[in-house]
Amino acid sequence: MAEPQNFDIAILGGGPGGYVAALRASQLGARVALVEKDRLGGTCLNRGCIPTKALVRGMEIVLEVQHAGEFGIDVGQPEIDFHRLTTRMRRVVDSLVGGVEQLLKAGKVTVFTGSGRIISPGRVLVEPEREINAKSIVIATGSVPARIPIPGASIPGVVTTDELLQIESPPKSLVIIGGGVIGVEFACIFAILDTKVTIVEMLPTILLQVEDDVVRRLVPLLKARGVEINVGAAVKEIKQSNELLEVVFDTSQGQRSVQGEMVLLAVGRWPYVDGLGLSELNIKMNRRAIATNERMETNVEGIYAIGDVTGQRMLAHVASYQGEVAVENALGHRREADLSAVPDCIFSIPEIAQVGLGEKEAKEKGISYKVSRFPFSSSARAQIQGESSGFVKLVCEAESGRVLGVHIIGHRATDLIAEGTLAVKLGARARDIVETIHAHPTFPEAFHEAAMGQFEGPIHFQRL
Ligand code: NAD
C-alpha cells in the first residue's frame, strides 16, 4: 500500500453536500480530499434534481406550445422526440458535472475515485489500497431510493427514479406508488408525455407536508391531465398480469388494483451508509440515519455528517448548507445549522413552494395566526405570461404580524419563495413587506399584495 496522504479534511461523497463542503473548506485554506465512488455531483446532478427538472422544463415547453394559439401564434401540435429530450437532459447534467470538476480543480481539492471507508477517526481507506490521513472527516454519502418490502417489488418493470431516468421511450401506462414529492413531479412529466399515470398513496392525501388548500388547487389540474389519484391506498403487492404489472392495494372499501406497463416506487429515500464502517466506530445512529448536533458533529470527535445521510431534510440545498457549517466547525470556526427557514420546492406544473410554518403546525404550536392570500389571476404579470393559476398565502403571527410561513402554488413558485425565505429567516413582519417597493409588473407583487391582506386587504383584489 502507498504511503498515506495527509489532509486537513477528508469528505466522503461528492454530491451537493460533499463538493460544496470541499470548496468551502478550500476557500478557508484547508488541504481537502474528496472521495467519490461514482460521478461527481451525486444524486442531485446525476439522478435527481437536475435531470428531473430538465424533463419538467421540456414539458413546460409542450404546454406553452399548446397554448401559443392564445397569443396568436400558430405552431401546430407539439411532437415530442423522447430521445432528443433525454439527450438534452444528459447534456445539461454533463455540463454541470464538468463544472463541478473544474471548480474542484481550481480549488485544489484532491479527488479520489473509489469507495471510502473510515478505519478510525482521522483515517480513511479508499478501497482497495489508498489511505488518507485527515484531521477531520465529513460523511456526505447521501441516500438511495427506499424499497418497500412487499411481494413483487423486484419484478422487472418495477423501477425507482434511478432506472426511470434511463428509459428509452415512455411507457404507455405508469403506476406510481407514493404521492410524495417524487411521485407528483414524475406524474406531471409522464402525464404530459401522454403516459396514463395512476398515483397510489397510502395516506389520506398526496403531498402530506403541503397546505391543504394548495393540494386542493393542484389535484384538479393533475386530474385534468388524466392523472388518476388513489389516496388512502396502501400497496400490498405487485403482480405480473399478462404483459402488464398489477398493483394491489387496500382501501377503506376493500382491496382494489390498477395496472400499468411500469411501476415507479416513490416511497421515500434511505440514508446511504453501506461500507462506511460506522458500527465499528460506534457512530450513533438515528434509525437508518447518522445522528448529529447543530454543528453537524457526530458523537465521535473529528467525524461530521451532512445532507441526506443525516435524514433530517433530504434536500440538496440543505446538504450544501450543512456542508459549509461542518467544515467551518472542523476548521475552528463556530457555526450552527439553523433549519427554521428551509425552502421546500416541488417542481410540479404548476410549481409549489413553501417555507416556515403551515396552518396545521401553527395550530399545533398553539400560535394565534392570521392567513392572507393573493391569487395570481389578479396579477398583471401572471396574466401577461398566461400563467394565472395559483396563489400566494402568508401565515403571520396575529399579534406581531411576524411572517411565520409562506406557501405558493403557481408559475415560478420555486423562485418566488426566496423572498418568503428571507422574510421568515429575518423575522420580518407583514408590515415590512408592505413597506417594501415591489417592481411592476412582476410575480413578486403577489407576495406584496398577500402581505397587504394582513391589514386592510390587497389593492388589486376586492371582494364584490
Ligand atoms: P416522500 O416521503 O415525499 O413520499 C413518499 C410517499 O410514499 C409518502 O406520501 C408515503 O405515504 C407513500 N408510501 C409509502 N409506502 C407506501 C405504500 N406501501 N403504498 C402507498 N404509498 C406509500 O418521498 P419521495 O417523494 O420518495 O422523496 C424522497 C425524498 O427526496 C424526500 O425527502 C423528498 O423531499 C426528496 N426530494 C425532493 C425533491 C424536491 O425538493 N423537489 C424532489 C424529489 C425528492
Side-chain angles (χ1 to χ4, degrees):
M1 184 135 56
E3 276 291 291
Q5 280 181 259
N6 295 322
F7 294 92
D8 297 309
I9 299 191
I11 298 164
L12 306 186
Y19 85 73
V20 169
L23 291 171
R24 180 71 189 128
S26 131
Q27 277 183 339
L28 295 173
R31 294 165 305 159
V32 190
L34 180 65
V35 184
E36 170 57 60
K37 69 180 163 79
D38 198 344
R39 287 228 300 177
L40 288 167
T43 298
C44 168
L45 264 74
N46 296 295
R47 299 174 296 281
C49 321
I50 302 301
T52 315
K53 270 83 253 184
L55 292 181
V56 170
R57 176 65 193 133
M59 298 308 101
E60 282 175 351
I61 292 176
V62 172
L63 296 183
E64 282 172 13
V65 172
Q66 282 171 349
H67 289 110
E70 289 167 21
F71 293 74
I73 302 165
D74 292 323
V75 283
Q77 265 306 309
E79 261 180 52
I80 304 172
D81 180 334
F82 192 73
H83 176 71
R84 273 161 54 211
L85 177 75
T86 50
T87 302
R88 177 186 181 274
M89 168 188 90
R90 286 190 196 103
R91 217 172 32 240
V92 173
V93 169
D94 290 346
S95 152
L96 292 172
V97 170
V100 171
E101 285 165 0
Q102 291 304 319
L103 288 169
L104 291 167
K105 205 165 164 190
K108 305 212 171 3
V109 172
T110 309
V111 177
F112 290 83
T113 305
S115 286
R117 188 160 65 80
I118 307 175
I119 313 167
S120 63
R123 285 177 66 208
V124 172
L125 176 72
V126 182
E127 294 192 294
E129 54 172 7
R130 277 163 302 167
E131 202 179 314
I132 296 172
N133 290 339
K135 293 176 196 146
S136 306
I137 295 171
V138 179
I139 304 172
T141 45
S143 62
V144 288
R147 290 231 162 228
I148 35 174
I150 56 162
S154 23
I155 49 183
V158 180
V159 297
T160 67
T161 48
D162 287 359
E163 296 89 42
L164 196 58
L165 287 168
Q166 308 277 343
I167 56 173
E168 278 167 14
S169 58
K172 288 201 174 55
S173 49
L174 174 70
V175 179
I176 301 179
I177 305 182
V181 182
I182 293 182
V184 166
E185 289 184 352
F186 277 83
C188 288
I189 295 168
F190 279 91
I192 297 169
L193 285 170
D194 251 352
T195 295
K196 168 75 192 122
V197 178
T198 309
I199 295 177
V200 185
E201 165 58 56
M202 69 179 177
L203 298 173
T205 175
I206 59 165
L207 298 176
L208 184 72
Q209 81 278 29
V210 171
E211 294 288 90
D212 292 345
D213 47 355
V214 172
V215 175
R216 275 201 303 276
R217 182 58 64 94
L218 180 70
V219 165
L221 298 173
L222 292 178
K223 287 187 175 165
R225 288 187 208 128
V227 177
E228 183 189 320
I229 302 174
N230 299 279
V231 289
V235 173
K236 290 290 147 200
E237 189 182 359
I238 306 167
K239 296 192 285 201
Q240 190 77 48
S241 168
N242 300 321
E243 297 293 285
L244 295 176
L245 296 165
E246 186 174 355
V247 176
V248 183
F249 52 91
D250 284 342
T251 72
S252 55
Q253 280 102 47
Q255 205 161 70
R256 282 192 48 209
S257 70
V258 287
Q259 292 189 329
E261 199 178 305
M262 289 183 90
V263 173
L264 171 65
L265 289 179
V267 291
R269 296 183 62 89
W270 287 336
Y272 183 70
V273 294
D274 290 5
L276 286 175
L278 299 188
S279 51
E280 292 85 339
L281 291 162
N282 285 323
I283 295 239
K284 192 165 162 231
M285 304 294 288
N286 199 347
R287 299 169 65 184
R288 290 176 186 271
I290 300 178
T292 72
N293 60 15
E294 286 81 9
R295 288 161 53 85
M296 309 318 299
E297 293 164 329
T298 67
N299 62 316
V300 176
E301 208 185 324
I303 302 185
Y304 298 74
I306 60 165
D308 283 12
V309 80
T310 67
Q312 295 171 18
R313 302 290 304 272
M314 290 193 171
L315 299 168
H317 42 284
V318 170
S320 303
Y321 170 74
Q322 292 176 330
E324 291 177 29
V325 171
V327 296
E328 287 179 28
N329 285 319
L331 295 170
H333 302 260
R334 201 180 164 87
R335 196 168 156 197
E336 292 186 351
D338 166 17
L339 299 187
S340 59
V342 174
D344 202 351
C345 297
I346 302 170
F347 293 81
S348 44
I349 306 176
E351 296 177 348
I352 292 172
Q354 56 183 18
V355 66
L357 298 189
E359 289 193 64
K360 237 181 287 169
E361 288 159 297
K363 257 183 222 139
E364 276 163 20
K365 287 179 187 278
I367 301 172
S368 125
Y369 65 89
K370 182 173 176 185
V371 169
S372 57
R373 287 186 192 80
F374 185 77
F376 284 118
S377 55
S378 298
S379 149
R381 183 55 192 257
Q383 290 204 21
I384 292 166
Q385 294 295 121
E387 296 284 357
S388 54
S389 74
F391 56 85
V392 176
K393 163 173 155 179
L394 255 68
V395 179
C396 296
E397 196 171 45
E399 205 169 320
S400 65
R402 191 164 61 94
V403 181
L404 299 172
V406 180
H407 306 267
I408 308 174
I409 174 167
H411 188 63
R412 292 280 168 267
T414 60
D415 292 326
L416 291 175
I417 202 63
E419 187 176 1
T421 308
L422 197 62
V424 173
K425 174 77 182 164
L426 298 182
R429 297 160 308 140
R431 178 60 68 196
D432 299 319
I433 294 155
V434 169
E435 288 179 5
T436 303
I437 299 173
H438 286 67
H440 178 73
T442 62
F443 281 100
E445 283 175 298
F447 186 60
H448 185 239
E449 296 261 16
M452 288 178 122
Q454 291 286 323
F455 305 100
E456 292 78 21
I459 295 288
H460 293 91
F461 182 79
Q462 308 286 336
R463 290 203 184 279
L464 298 175

